[in-house]
């Protein structure tokens, strides 16, 4: 099913209150987190709680994604085995490499067969948060047909690069561009790193806008208060929607008149402009704006 | 499944339940439950706890439960975690 992924909201995996409210907050996807949000001593507890939540909590229209622990830790494979059997929409693999994605995918093949789930029905998100991951983003994407998106994790990435993370985010310009381009090439979602400062609304809007302008298609949120702002930036404006509608109308008219090329407001309209108009209208439709 | 040592799971936060399990050498399950919604849901919570213990094959245990308004899925999860930790 085609769906929007403008927001992916992180929810701590060991917090019943947050888990049971995750679906009513309006995020396109919720990420039930077993990794950073859960202390080492509570990994077992969170895994069981998230498993039960997926079985019995209504997440309404939000896509349910579970971030498991890295496969290199003692928790990663057990997370995958327990969570895979309750069939979340997707698993998010942290610090992803080609080998990790292949290994997770093979394990899911086995789980799906044992549980009688449709093959390939559990999707994957790869978390790009190391220099290796970034430089190999395209081959990681190619490692499994299950991948439907990538999340750029800028905190870990800049730590790995040994550089400072700033409010303006100049230092992740290359990472955003690279992830966005690779994701576009493979037609999967490119999700931007979260913005941590809840008090800096102006900086937050700039940050979303900058990532969007480079081709990121959505953003991770770490607080429900961030959802509406992200949706606002990702929604096409009324003027953009009207223009896209006029392009499509003009195209219809040109077709009727047998014209191959046509103009609108004195400017030539060609295939990329039509494609952009279609994308705008599709996004507007999925967001319920038209 | 036999409880070998005392173990706990859950928290005292809202919508959660704190569970402690201990071995019971005298046999059977002894349940001590406190809940902020005891009057309305006390019996239901007890049923869920006893059912979960049975599913896990626990026949002998002393279970202390302090409920802060947990839904069934949370009660089941916290019992399972405590039992596995106590094995």
């Amino acid at each position: 099913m085609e769906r929007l992924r403008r927001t992916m909201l992180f929810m701590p995996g060991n917090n019943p209150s947050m888990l049971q409210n995750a679906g009513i907050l309006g995020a396109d996807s919720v990420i039930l987190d077993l990794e950073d949000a859960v202390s080492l001593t509570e990994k077992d507890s969170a895994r069981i709680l998230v498993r039960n939540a997926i079985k019995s909590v209504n997440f309404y229209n939000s896509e349910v994604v579970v971030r498991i622990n890295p496969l290199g830790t003692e928790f990663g494979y057990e997370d995958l085995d327990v969570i895979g059997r309750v069939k979340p929409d997707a698993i998010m693999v942290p610090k992803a490499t080609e080998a990790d994605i292949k290994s997770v995918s093979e394990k899911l093949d086995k789980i799906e067969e044992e549980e009688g789930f449709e093959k390939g029905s559990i999707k994957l998100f790869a978390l790009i948060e190391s220099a290796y991951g970034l430089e190999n983003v395209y081959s990681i994407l190619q490692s499994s047909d299950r991948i439907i998106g990538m999340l750029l994790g800028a905190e870990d990435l800049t730590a790995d690069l040994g550089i400072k993370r700033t409010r303006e985010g100049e230092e992740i310009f290359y990472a955003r561009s690279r992830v966005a381009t690779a994701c576009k090439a493979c037609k999967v979602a490119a999700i931007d790193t979260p913005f941590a400062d809840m008090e800096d609304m102006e900086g937050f809007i700039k940050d979303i806008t900058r990532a969007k302008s480079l081709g990121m298609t959505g953003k991770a949120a770490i607080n429900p208060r961030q959802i509406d702002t992200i949706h606002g930036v990702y929604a096409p404006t009324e003027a953009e929607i009207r223009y896209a509608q006029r392009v499509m109308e003009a195209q219809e008219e040109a077709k009727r008149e047998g014209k191959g090329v046509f103009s609108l407001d004195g400017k030539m309209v060609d295939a990329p402009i039509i494609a952009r108009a279609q994308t705008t209208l599709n996004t507007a439709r999925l967001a319920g704006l038209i | 499944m036999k409880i070998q040592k005392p173990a706990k799971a859950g928290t005292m936060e809202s919508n959660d339940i704190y569970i402690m399990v201990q071995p019971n050498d005298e046999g059977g399950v002894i349940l001590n439950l406190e809940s902020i919604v005891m009057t309305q849901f006390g019996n239901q919570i007890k049923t869920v706890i006893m059912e979960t213990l049975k599913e896990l094959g626990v026949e002998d245990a002393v279970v202390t439960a302090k409920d802060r308004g947990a839904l069934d899925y949370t009660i089941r999860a916290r019992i399972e975690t405590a039992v596995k930790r106590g094995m």
Side-chain angles (χ1 to χ4, degrees):
Chain A
M1 187 186 73
E2 191 182 18
R3 60 182 306 152
L4 287 176
R5 287 190 189 86
R6 299 162 298 182
T7 40
M8 297 188 80
L9 175 66
F10 275 103
M11 286 274 142
N14 202 32
N15 187 318
S17 180
M18 289 192 187
L19 289 178
Q20 66 211 40
N21 288 315
I24 59 168
L25 299 167
D28 293 328
S29 308
V30 290
I31 305 171
L32 313 181
D33 190 15
L34 299 179
E35 197 204 10
D36 291 351
V38 178
S39 68
L40 283 175
T41 55
E42 293 299 322
K43 296 291 187 190
D44 56 339
S45 189
R47 186 188 298 131
I48 293 171
L49 187 68
V50 166
R51 181 203 65 194
N52 283 12
I54 293 172
K55 282 200 286 189
S56 57
V57 170
N58 188 347
F59 292 95
Y60 298 92
N61 293 323
S62 295
E63 178 180 51
V64 178
V65 182
V66 178
R67 176 163 75 168
I68 60 172
N69 284 284
L71 297 183
T73 67
E74 61 186 295
F75 313 110
Y77 281 103
E78 199 171 343
D79 289 345
L80 186 60
D81 191 51
V82 169
I83 300 300
R85 292 181 196 280
V86 289
K87 205 170 185 293
D89 293 314
I91 297 281
M92 180 172 278
V93 183
K95 297 183 178 62
T97 63
E98 295 92 332
D100 290 344
I101 294 294
K102 279 184 189 146
S103 177
V104 168
S105 200
E106 280 163 18
K107 179 80 189 161
L108 289 175
D109 284 343
K110 194 165 166 274
I111 292 174
E112 284 168 347
E113 197 184 327
E114 286 169 2
E115 299 293 330
F117 302 152
E118 188 189 336
K119 188 166 191 266
S121 54
I122 302 173
K123 304 297 180 187
L124 293 179
F125 280 88
L127 192 35
I128 299 299
E129 49 187 345
S130 67
Y132 178 88
L134 184 61
E135 281 306 290
N136 293 283
V137 63
Y138 187 76
S139 67
I140 293 170
L141 266 170
Q142 297 281 308
S143 308
S144 169
D145 292 343
R146 293 178 188 270
I147 297 185
I148 52 172
M150 292 216 155
L151 170 64
L152 174 63
E155 292 300 330
D156 280 297
L157 175 67
T158 48
D160 192 34
L161 290 169
I163 58 176
K164 202 175 158 199
R165 182 87 175 91
T166 69
R167 181 172 297 255
E168 293 72 27
E170 264 315 298
E171 70 282 358
I172 57 166
F173 170 80
Y174 169 71
R176 280 170 162 164
S177 301
R178 177 133 192 177
V179 169
T181 308
C183 287
K184 198 63 78 178
C186 297
K187 298 187 170 48
V188 302
I191 310 297
D192 193 38
T193 191
F195 188 81
D197 187 350
M198 288 303 301
E199 303 310 316
D200 180 10
M201 188 48 81
E202 196 187 329
F204 183 40
I205 292 172
K206 276 187 187 162
D207 190 60
I208 311 165
T209 309
R210 202 174 290 127
K212 185 189 171 196
S213 75
L214 295 173
M216 302 302 279
T217 57
K219 192 167 180 70
I222 48 171
N223 189 306
R225 281 164 55 201
Q226 296 181 318
I227 295 171
D228 284 349
T229 311
I230 299 173
H231 286 185
V233 175
Y234 272 99
T237 63
E238 217 170 290
E240 284 167 342
I241 295 171
R242 185 63 205 125
Y243 179 73
Q245 285 169 330
R246 289 179 59 224
V247 168
M248 300 315 287
E249 286 161 11
Q251 190 203 18
E252 282 303 311
E253 201 179 316
K255 261 191 206 165
R256 275 198 300 275
E257 292 173 7
K259 288 184 196 164
V261 178
F262 60 97
S263 64
L264 181 66
D265 302 337
K267 285 180 194 153
M268 192 184 79
V269 175
D270 54 5
I273 293 178
I274 294 167
R276 192 174 297 131
Q278 278 168 335
T279 304
T280 302
L281 292 177
N282 199 26
T283 307
R285 208 170 290 124
L286 287 168
L289 298 172
I290 52 173
Chain B
M1 202 175 278
K2 192 163 168 57
I3 306 294
Q4 307 283 355
K5 57 185 182 202
K8 53 196 181 178
T11 69
M12 300 286 273
E13 285 176 31
S14 181
N15 299 126
D16 206 343
I17 183 167
Y18 171 89
I19 302 284
M20 186 159 79
V21 295
Q22 291 167 282
N24 184 11
D25 297 334
E26 287 163 26
V29 172
I30 299 168
L31 171 59
N32 303 307
L33 171 68
E34 276 177 31
S35 173
I36 55 167
V37 287
M38 195 62 150
T39 326
Q40 301 92 327
F41 297 111
N43 284 334
Q44 195 184 327
I45 296 167
K46 277 181 200 162
T47 307
V48 172
I49 292 175
M50 296 308 282
E51 265 179 22
T52 311
L53 289 169
K54 199 174 165 196
E55 282 163 18
L56 293 166
V58 176
E59 289 170 359
D60 311 313
V62 177
V63 178
T64 306
K66 294 181 182 177
D67 172 56
R68 290 293 177 270
L71 297 181
D72 287 6
Y73 83 96
T74 303
I75 300 171
R76 289 180 188 280
R78 299 315 194 191
I79 290 279
E80 183 177 336
T81 304
V83 167
K84 286 184 173 166
R85 287 175 176 178
M87 279 162 53

